[in-house]
Amino acid sequence: MQHIVSIQLPGNRALSASVSNMVGVDEQAVAAQPEPALSVEQLRTVAVRIAERIRA
């Protein structure tokens, strides 16, 4: 499972952040965690705070 958040920034720029429950390159070698490390709401909060700093 993967959560992706994209935010449009001024000047034709964009910020994209994602979090996944996959911890390895090979799904067979490393099992996926039950849930991603951050919820979509937490990821959105982080992305918004980063975007606010970029705009400042």
Side-chain angles (χ1 to χ4, degrees):
M1 174 185 287
Q2 183 177 28
H3 301 309
I4 301 172
V5 174
S6 296
I7 298 174
Q8 184 67 39
L9 298 171
N12 291 326
R13 298 178 298 161
L15 170 70
S16 181
S18 67
V19 63
S20 173
N21 64 339
M22 302 302 299
V23 294
V25 175
D26 183 353
E27 196 173 331
Q28 306 244 342
V30 180
Q33 299 298 308
E35 293 291 327
L38 299 173
S39 69
V40 71
E41 294 82 14
Q42 291 169 319
L43 180 61
R44 184 179 297 118
T45 298
V46 169
V48 166
R49 288 185 181 173
I50 293 169
E52 288 170 349
R53 295 200 62 164
I54 292 171
R55 291 177 184 153

